[in-house]
Amino acid sequence: MATEMTCRPAARSEGRVIAFPSATGTANIERCARELGRRHGAEAIEFWRAECRRLADQLLAAGMPESDVGQRVLQFQQDVQIELVLSHQNGPLPKSQN
């Protein structure tokens, strides 16, 4: 399975760049990390379950074997966790414009 590779800055004050693998797209990972950073408790859990289920449903609908879908969702979960850690290292998440 090919994985999209993009570069993400490790921290604002550092010039290092790290490889950031993601088959689901960095914009989706960043969006989920922002939302999880803003939500708490049951609301965060409900959001996270819905996002993981949505991704699984999209992959199944695209014809991906169920065994590969599980691995892809686990990778997505790991990617979002990494993004949450990086965003906390880089300072507070931006406030919602809504």
Side-chain angles (χ1 to χ4, degrees):
M1 232 180 280
T3 302
E4 172 187 320
M5 297 295 289
T6 57
C7 293
R8 308 255 319 139
R12 280 187 203 143
S13 61
E14 296 181 23
R16 290 185 317 145
V17 176
I18 60 170
F20 193 79
S22 172
T24 60
T26 56
N28 189 40
I29 290 166
E30 291 168 351
R31 179 187 61 79
C32 286
R34 274 193 312 273
E35 287 301 317
L36 286 171
R38 291 183 185 124
R39 298 170 190 241
H40 302 283
E43 182 184 9
I45 292 168
E46 183 179 327
F47 169 79
W48 187 234
R49 285 182 179 160
E51 287 298 314
C52 291
R53 181 75 257 160
R54 184 180 62 80
L55 174 60
D57 290 344
Q58 287 175 341
L59 296 172
L60 287 169
M64 182 176 283
E66 195 168 328
S67 60
D68 291 344
V69 168
Q71 291 291 47
R72 188 68 66 92
V73 171
L74 288 174
Q75 182 63 53
F76 170 69
Q77 292 172 341
Q78 183 179 14
D79 291 345
V80 172
Q81 181 65 36
I82 291 167
E83 180 64 26
L84 279 167
V85 169
L86 289 173
S87 66
H88 285 286
Q89 287 176 348
N90 292 334
L93 294 169
K95 299 283 184 198
S96 175
Q97 298 294 323
N98 298 341

